[in-house]
Amino acid sequence: MTVISGASGTGKGTVCKKLLDELPQMFYSISATTRAPRPGEVDGKEYFFITTAQFKTWLDEEKFLEHAEVYGNFYGTPSHIIEEKRNSGVDVLLEIDVQGALNVMKKCPDGVYIFLMPPSLDELCNRIKNRGTESPEVLQRRINAATSEIAMFKKYQYVVVNDTVDAAVDKIKAIITAERCKVEKNLAEFEHFATN
């Protein structure tokens, strides 16, 4: 399981889309959210768009690997889908915010955690502003939160600067390849070599 997160505006969605184009065998985990869809977003593709009441029902039924309230909306990662894919040997990609990633780290310490870093704080602010999807109040909250989220990169295993999407994706693919080659992940397959 590869978890990619970072502050708002770091380009997580763009990087993950390109990564999935290049690694189509990966399963992309879709989160549930109570926020309204942005222009062009489709229910069941980018997110499962659900009501707050439905979200609370799923919480009561313990259907989330992690959940968080972000900017007044709820987000959660459906756990049963993730476990099913992992148990069948499929690589899973989660794109979640910092708060959610920290919660997943507690439940799944064997995951690969990558923090996507902006090239600079000025660039980050420009990216958030250029979305044009938030009110001035929400925009300022996102910028303030982004600066505190960036400080959380130290809790991750890897940090990748998203200066260009192609370069960031190449680095993430290299991390995934290296993780697949770790001895601890290959013991069962090659243990018999050591006994012969």
Side-chain angles (χ1 to χ4, degrees):
M1 180 175 70
T2 301
V3 177
I4 296 179
S5 62
S8 177
T10 54
K12 297 182 296 289
T14 304
V15 166
C16 286
K17 183 179 183 317
K18 174 86 169 159
L19 183 65
L20 291 166
D21 286 345
E22 296 190 16
L23 299 175
Q25 71 276 16
M26 285 191 93
F27 173 78
Y28 180 70
S29 171
I30 300 170
S31 296
T33 184
T34 59
R35 80 157 169 77
R38 290 181 181 140
E41 289 183 331
V42 177
D43 181 47
K45 184 177 179 192
E46 286 81 14
Y47 288 95
F48 297 113
F49 295 100
I50 61 176
T51 64
T52 301
Q54 188 176 3
F55 193 95
K56 289 181 179 177
T57 299
W58 286 16
L59 263 181
D60 292 341
E61 296 171 354
E62 299 182 3
K63 288 188 172 180
F64 293 117
L65 176 62
E66 59 81 31
H67 66 280
E69 183 177 357
V70 182
Y71 310 120
N73 294 301
F74 294 101
Y75 293 81
T77 303
S79 56
H80 67 285
I81 299 171
I82 303 295
E83 287 310 309
E84 177 185 304
K85 295 294 182 183
R86 291 185 77 196
N87 290 338
S88 64
V90 174
D91 287 338
V92 175
L93 176 64
L94 272 70
E95 173 202 338
I96 53 181
D97 72 303
V98 173
Q99 186 180 353
L102 295 177
N103 290 329
V104 174
M105 284 178 197
K106 295 174 192 168
K107 293 182 179 178
C108 302
D110 62 332
V112 178
Y113 296 90
I114 303 170
F115 190 92
L116 199 61
M117 188 72 78
S120 69
L121 285 177
D122 286 343
E123 177 63 22
L124 179 71
C125 291
N126 287 336
R127 289 178 184 179
I128 294 171
K129 288 176 185 173
N130 289 337
R131 279 184 180 168
T133 57
E134 284 92 8
S135 67
E137 297 80 23
V138 171
L139 181 64
Q140 191 56 53
R141 274 199 334 229
R142 281 192 183 274
I143 290 170
N144 293 342
T147 55
S148 62
E149 287 173 336
I150 285 174
M152 303 306 289
F153 83 93
K154 297 173 189 171
K155 301 203 179 269
Y156 290 70
Q157 297 161 314
Y158 300 94
V159 60
V160 171
V161 176
N162 184 16
D163 43 4
T164 69
V165 173
D166 288 341
V169 167
D170 286 346
K171 290 174 189 170
I172 293 167
K173 285 172 24 184
I175 291 166
I176 292 169
T177 299
E179 286 289 327
R180 285 186 187 137
C181 294
K182 280 189 169 178
V183 169
E184 65 202 42
K185 294 185 179 174
N186 291 282
L187 280 176
E189 186 176 351
F190 298 112
E191 187 69 32
H192 67 282
F193 286 8
T195 57
N196 291 336

